């Protein structure tokens, strides 16, 4: 019987590491034992968490600044503990947020052409977690909305424009949160937790909409991400420590739509998803390969495409947004792979004979303009990403300056004052009881 090969324009994705002179060399990548990507990229800069004595720091390099990076190159170094996660703002290519072991989240504005001197003054410091902050993720469509999750098992959603914690999800996770992901329009989040549970949460109503208790049987960390159709894709481990990839329908989480067993390596799989092409790239920490899969509407839903393999294992991975890719070279993804001492870009292309714009590879993609202001989102509105065409390549516009307007300082002082009075009253009552 002849086996029919499934048709896909991504069957022949061609991965290639760039030449040595286009890498970023002599970077001391962070040795912190935390399962984040350690690297964040956008069409202007690449940011990498590095080893730093007496605090936490990360490098921010303009994309064109390749080659050997001088040891004295300025860093972003305001945290007092190691930096655990960083993420660029999707609506402003010069704004980046960082979470650290010092329990704070900091938001930074990087100068137009990169750093000239070390930066230790963030635009705003967000304080609200009682333990280290390991997860940072910006809202995909609302300006200045930032989510952070800490080892205190709570998720805080901030209005960065005012520096306030607006939503606090406290009692939903009994253990450490492994990752948090927004859906396409930012109305829901999905989380994976150390209790092996996957939860879909409506953050504004502070309710759990769907939950699966043991998504993967294994004890090692899981990841969960939203796909553009609202399904959830998870990576985890089986009871026999085999790595798995599973797909879940959020309206019925009893059984997965499909489960793929992969191998028995013990590195945590970091999924990167391209909503335009429905391709998921899996990069295992400590692996030397990137696997990619195409997600479709018909069973078996998840189709293995290919593997890109190199000799060196990866310490972390950055993923370029679609608008930062070179459409003339049919580039559909670009990764920034962290080695022990360098960062190496890896380009994924679909070879085509024609020089014309390939509109089947590049449907309109999410642009840098937010669909909503923060206040609208907190008031209950939703907005889909504002799409842009990549036909003539992406031309970055002028980023407006990021400003924080702290409001209600008097109110918060009054609030604190009343809290202090309550505490004093309680203490008096307690002392009376003790007597």
């Amino acid at each position: 019987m002849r086996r029919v090969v499934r048709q896909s324009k991504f069957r022949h994705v061609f991965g290639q590491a760039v030449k040595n002179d286009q890498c970023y060399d002599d970077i001391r990548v962070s040795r912190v034992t935390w399962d984040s990507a350690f690297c964040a990229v956008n069409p202007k800069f690449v940011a990498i968490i590095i080893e730093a004595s007496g605090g936490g720091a990360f490098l921010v390099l303009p994309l064109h600044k390749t080659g050997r990076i001088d040891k004295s190159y300025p860093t972003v170094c305001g945290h007092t503990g190691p930096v655990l996660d960083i993420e660029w703002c999707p609506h402003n290519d010069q704004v980046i947020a960082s979470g650290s072991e010092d329990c704070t989240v900091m938001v930074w504005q990087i100068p137009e052409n990169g750093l000239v001197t070390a930066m230790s003054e963030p635009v705003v410091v967000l304080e609200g977690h009682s333990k280290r902050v390991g997860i940072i993720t910006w809202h995909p469509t609302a300006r200045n909305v930032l989510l952070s999750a800490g080892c205190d098992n709570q998720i805080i959603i901030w209005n960065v424009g005012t520096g306030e914690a607006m939503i606090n999800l406290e009692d939903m996770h009994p253990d450490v949160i492994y990752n948090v992901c927004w859906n396409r329009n930012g109305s829901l989040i999905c989380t994976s937790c150390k209790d092996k549970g996957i939860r879909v949460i409506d953050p504004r109503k502070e309710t759990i909409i769907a939950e699966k208790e043991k998504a993967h049987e294994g004890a090692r960390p899981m990841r969960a991400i939203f796909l553009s159709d609202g399904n959830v894709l998870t990576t985890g481990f089986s009871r026999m420590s085999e790595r798995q990839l599973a797909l879940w329908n959020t309206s019925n989480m009893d059984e997965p739509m499909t489960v793929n067993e992969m191998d028995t390596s013990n590195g945590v799989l970091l999924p990167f998803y391209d909503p335009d092409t429905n391709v998921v790239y899996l990069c295992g920490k400590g692996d030397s390969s990137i696997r990619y899969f195409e997600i479709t509407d018909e069973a078996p839903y998840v189709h293995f495409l290919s593997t890109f393999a190199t000799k060196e294992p990866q310490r972390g991975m950055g993923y370029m947004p679609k608008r930062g890719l070179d459409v003339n070279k049919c580039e559909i993804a670009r990764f920034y792979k962290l080695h022990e001492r360098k960062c190496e870009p890896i380009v994924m292309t679909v070879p085509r004979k024609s020089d014309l714009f390939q509109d089947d590879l590049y449907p309109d993609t999410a642009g840098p303009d937010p669909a909503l202001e923060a206040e609208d989102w907190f008031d209950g509105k939703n907005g889909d990403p504002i799409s842009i065409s990549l036909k003539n390549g992406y031309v970055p516009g002028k980023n407006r300056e990021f400003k924080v307007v702290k409001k209600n300082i008097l109110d918060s002082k009054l609030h604190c004052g009343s809290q202090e009075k309550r505490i004093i009253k309680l203490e008096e009552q307690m002392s009376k009881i003790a007597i």
Side-chain angles (χ1 to χ4, degrees):
M1 197 176 126
R2 247 177 87 234
R3 197 160 154 256
V4 179
V5 176
R6 193 182 66 88
Q7 282 291 311
S8 169
K9 51 183 176 265
F10 303 111
R11 276 197 73 75
H12 304 289
V13 174
F14 178 64
Q16 191 173 25
V18 300
K19 295 189 175 75
N20 266 346
D21 60 347
Q22 291 174 294
C23 295
Y24 307 86
D25 263 326
D26 222 9
I27 295 167
R28 297 191 312 281
V29 176
S30 173
R31 295 178 174 280
V32 175
T33 52
W34 184 255
D35 289 323
S36 73
F38 287 174
C39 179
V41 287
N42 69 17
K44 276 186 156 177
F45 299 107
V46 52
I48 301 162
I49 302 175
I50 55 168
E51 278 291 294
S53 51
F58 57 94
L59 271 177
V60 175
L61 304 167
L63 285 186
H64 58 78
K65 185 157 178 48
T66 51
R68 193 174 160 277
I69 306 300
D70 202 277
K71 281 193 170 50
S72 61
Y73 194 86
T75 59
V76 180
C77 52
H79 285 286
T80 55
V83 177
L84 299 177
D85 198 14
I86 48 177
E87 185 166 279
W88 289 104
C89 174
H91 309 126
N92 187 333
D93 287 343
Q94 284 163 240
V95 171
I96 188 169
S98 56
S100 160
E101 276 192 17
D102 64 11
C103 309
T104 64
V105 176
M106 294 184 180
V107 180
W108 311 83
Q109 169 115 19
I110 306 298
E112 181 80 33
N113 300 315
L115 297 177
V116 185
T117 56
M119 185 179 266
S120 57
E121 287 298 314
V123 184
V124 62
V125 180
L126 305 172
E127 293 174 314
H129 287 283
S130 57
K131 289 187 179 171
R132 61 187 185 167
V133 182
I135 298 164
I136 296 281
T137 174
W138 289 92
H139 192 286
T141 62
R143 193 198 309 275
N144 291 347
V145 176
L146 179 67
L147 179 150
S148 63
C151 290
D152 50 6
N153 309 345
Q154 64 175 333
I155 292 172
I156 298 178
I157 300 178
W158 310 84
N159 181 345
V160 179
T162 59
E164 295 173 288
M166 304 295 287
I167 296 171
N168 198 330
L169 308 176
E170 279 183 293
D171 304 319
M172 295 187 176
H173 299 87
D175 215 323
V176 174
I177 301 163
Y178 286 140
N179 88 306
V180 182
C181 175
W182 295 96
N183 68 349
R184 188 99 167 108
N185 69 357
S187 57
L188 301 173
I189 56 174
C190 70
T191 66
S192 62
C193 176
K194 196 174 179 178
D195 69 349
K196 301 182 188 175
I198 302 290
R199 294 167 178 83
V200 176
I201 298 168
D202 184 328
R204 288 169 298 191
K205 290 183 181 156
E206 302 190 16
T207 53
I208 296 174
I209 290 174
E211 188 171 2
K212 174 65 183 167
E213 281 184 348
K214 282 194 176 173
H216 295 273
E217 295 279 343
R220 294 190 52 73
M222 303 188 301
R223 287 281 183 280
I225 58 167
F226 264 115
L227 304 182
S228 53
D229 58 6
N231 290 337
V232 169
L233 180 122
T234 60
T235 62
F237 293 80
S238 70
R239 193 176 285 154
M240 307 302 288
S241 291
E242 279 184 301
R243 293 200 288 194
Q244 295 177 320
L245 173 69
L247 193 61
W248 306 84
N249 184 335
T250 50
S251 53
N252 179 10
M253 304 260 294
D254 295 341
E255 289 296 321
M257 293 160 68
T258 178
V259 178
N260 284 29
E261 306 271 336
M262 278 181 289
D263 56 14
T264 52
S265 175
N266 62 359
V268 175
L269 286 166
L270 305 176
F272 296 97
Y273 172 62
D274 178 359
D276 305 333
T277 56
N278 260 330
V279 175
V280 170
Y281 302 86
L282 298 184
C283 310
K285 279 206 127 177
D287 286 13
S288 51
S289 63
I290 300 172
R291 292 181 179 82
Y292 29 109
F293 299 80
E294 189 175 359
I295 315 289
T296 59
D297 299 337
E298 291 125 30
Y301 307 111
V302 177
H303 305 271
F304 174 70
L305 291 172
S306 185
T307 302
F308 168 78
T310 53
K311 291 183 185 135
E312 293 279 322
Q314 54 230 15
R315 296 279 298 277
M317 194 68 83
Y319 179 61
M320 176 66 83
K322 212 55 178 287
R323 56 197 172 88
L325 303 180
D326 187 343
V327 294
N328 299 324
K329 291 182 181 162
C330 295
E331 185 182 7
I332 61 160
R334 191 186 316 151
F335 292 93
Y336 285 72
K337 172 177 167 176
L338 300 185
H339 300 241
E340 211 155 302
R341 304 279 309 183
K342 77 169 178 180
C343 172
E344 172 186 47
I346 292 167
V347 175
M348 301 274 184
T349 51
V350 176
R352 292 275 168 98
K353 288 195 173 88
S354 166
D355 288 341
L356 298 172
F357 177 71
Q358 306 291 321
D359 42 17
D360 62 328
L361 295 182
Y362 301 105
D364 288 358
T365 190
D369 294 326
L372 301 166
E373 294 298 326
E375 290 73 18
D376 299 334
W377 185 79
F378 287 113
D379 286 344
K381 289 184 186 153
N382 290 320
D384 288 327
I386 296 175
S387 297
I388 55 169
S389 167
L390 296 176
K391 186 155 190 178
N392 301 314
Y394 168 69
V395 181
K398 187 98 175 91
N399 284 312
R400 64 187 216 175
E401 193 173 348
F402 177 63
K403 286 191 175 72
V404 176
V405 183
K406 289 273 176 95
K407 62 179 186 187
N408 296 347
I409 290 177
L410 201 67
D411 289 3
S412 57
K413 275 186 181 166
L414 288 170
H415 176 65
C416 291
S418 61
Q419 264 193 329
E420 276 168 20
K421 280 175 194 162
R422 277 209 300 274
I423 291 165
I424 291 164
K425 251 189 183 169
L426 269 171
E427 281 174 353
E428 282 171 1
Q429 284 168 352
M430 295 297 282
S431 60
K432 278 177 189 167
I433 291 164
I435 290 161

